[in-house]
Amino acid sequence: MEGMRNLLAADRYRYRKDILMKVALILVVVFACFTCGLYFVLAKLTEDVDSAAVENILCGRYLYGATFSIGSDMGLIIPIFAGAIVCKDFSMGTIRNKIIRGYGREQIFLSHFLTSILFGGMIYVLYALAQLGLGSLLLGYGAAFDGEELLFLVVSMLTGILTYAAMCALVTMIATATGSMGLSIVLYIAFTLGLSIVQGIVSIIPNVPKIITKIMEYLPGNIAYTVTEGSKEWAEYGKSMLMSAILILVFGLIGMTVFRKKDQK
C-alpha cells in the first residue's frame, strides 16, 4: 500500500510539473476565448435573423455541450497529452528504474492509469466551465436557469468527466503497451477516426441489430448532441456513464495484462 501511495504521489507531482500540463491549461484559455469570441461575432452578424435554430446554437449551453465531442480540439488534445506524459516515463527510463526498485508492474500501471484519468477529468472540467461561463457571459445561457437546469449541469458534467476518463484510459492502455509517444498518438487518432466511420456506417445500414446501435449510441462523445439540446432525459446520461465506466474497466484490465507481460528494457 505504501508503494502505491509513493507511485501515485510521484506521478501526480510529475504531471503538475510537466510542460504539457502548462500547455494544456493555456490551450483551455485560448480555445475557450477563441470559440466563444467567434460565436459572439456570429451572434452580432445574425442579430436580424429570427430563427430558433440560430438562437439554440448561439448560447453558453450549446458551447458547453460542444466540449463533449471527443473529435473536437480539446477532445483530441486532452487524451493525447495524457498519453504523451505516460510515454515520457518510458523514454526517460523511469519505468525501468521503478521495476528495479521493486515496484510491481500492476502498481506502476495502476498509478499511471489513475493519474491519467485524473488529469483528463480535471482539464475537461476546466474547459467545460470556461466554455459555459464565458459563453453565457457573452451570449446568455440559452434557457431559464432553475433547479432542474442546475441538475442538468451536474449530471452532464459527471457524464463528461467519465467520457474523458474513458478516452484517457484508452490512450494510457496504448501508451503503456507501445511505450512510444508517436505511435500512441497515431493509434489513438486512428481509433477515434475509425470509431466515427463505423458509427456513420451503422447509422445508414438498415436492419442493424438493436444492441449494436445502442452500443454505438452510448459510446463516449455521442452524448454531446443530447447536452447541446439541454435534454433532461436522465436515463440517457446514465447509460452513457455506464458505458464509459465499462470501457474504463476494460481498458484498465487489458492495459494491465499487456504491461505485465511487456519486456521492459
Side-chain angles (χ1 to χ4, degrees):
M1 185 62 69
E2 183 179 352
M4 191 67 212
R5 285 199 298 267
N6 291 338
L7 286 171
L8 285 170
D11 282 334
R12 287 198 301 269
Y13 177 81
R14 191 165 55 85
Y15 269 76
R16 289 199 303 271
K17 295 300 181 179
D18 198 288
I19 185 64
L20 290 179
M21 170 66 88
K22 298 177 177 64
V23 173
L25 294 175
I26 292 172
L27 290 177
V28 164
V29 176
V30 170
F31 280 123
C33 291
F34 176 77
T35 304
C36 294
L38 184 63
Y39 273 71
F40 178 73
V41 172
L42 183 60
K44 290 298 182 181
L45 294 175
T46 57
E47 282 182 332
D48 297 329
V49 178
D50 185 15
S51 171
V54 172
E55 292 179 1
N56 288 338
I57 66 172
L58 297 177
C59 62
R61 187 174 65 185
Y62 182 89
L63 291 172
Y64 163 68
T67 65
F68 284 70
S69 173
I70 60 175
S72 64
D73 38 39
M74 292 301 292
L76 288 172
I77 289 171
I78 292 173
I80 286 175
F81 276 23
I85 295 174
V86 171
C87 286
K88 285 186 177 183
D89 243 15
F90 288 89
S91 62
M92 298 174 66
T94 312
I95 291 287
R96 183 173 180 274
N97 292 335
K98 289 178 180 178
I99 294 174
I100 292 174
R101 292 182 62 183
Y103 291 108
R105 287 175 178 260
E106 292 83 0
Q107 291 178 317
I108 295 171
F109 174 82
L110 190 58
S111 178
H112 276 300
F113 193 73
L114 294 176
T115 310
S116 177
I117 288 174
L118 178 64
F119 168 83
M122 184 194 71
I123 298 298
Y124 161 73
V125 168
L126 293 175
Y127 184 52
L129 290 177
Q131 289 272 90
L132 176 64
L134 186 57
S136 298
L137 181 64
L138 294 176
L139 304 166
Y141 176 70
F145 200 86
D146 51 21
E148 190 177 34
E149 198 67 25
L150 177 61
L151 180 61
F152 157 75
L153 289 177
V154 172
V155 172
S156 60
M157 184 70 74
L158 290 174
T159 306
I161 292 171
L162 279 173
T163 293
Y164 278 83
M167 302 318 294
C168 286
L170 168 62
V171 80
T172 302
M173 179 192 74
I174 296 173
T176 51
T178 64
S180 168
M181 187 183 301
L183 183 57
S184 296
I185 293 173
V186 170
L187 289 176
Y188 177 76
I189 294 176
F191 178 87
T192 54
L193 291 177
L195 180 60
S196 298
I197 293 172
V198 170
Q199 288 172 329
I201 293 174
V202 169
S203 67
I204 62 175
I205 295 178
N207 302 321
V208 174
K210 190 174 182 180
I211 187 171
I212 294 179
T213 59
K214 286 298 181 182
I215 289 174
M216 291 295 170
E217 184 177 349
Y218 296 115
L219 284 174
N222 284 355
I223 198 71
Y225 303 106
T226 303
V227 180
T228 54
E229 293 171 357
S231 173
K232 307 301 192 301
E233 296 292 334
W234 308 121
E236 301 298 304
Y237 298 103
K239 291 173 183 177
S240 179
M241 284 191 276
L242 177 60
M243 178 64 75
S244 293
I246 291 172
L247 289 176
I248 291 170
L249 179 61
V250 170
F251 293 147
L253 291 174
I254 294 174
M256 184 175 292
T257 301
V258 172
F259 186 65
R260 187 187 295 128
K261 299 179 180 179
K262 182 180 175 64
D263 181 21
Q264 184 57 47
K265 298 179 180 180

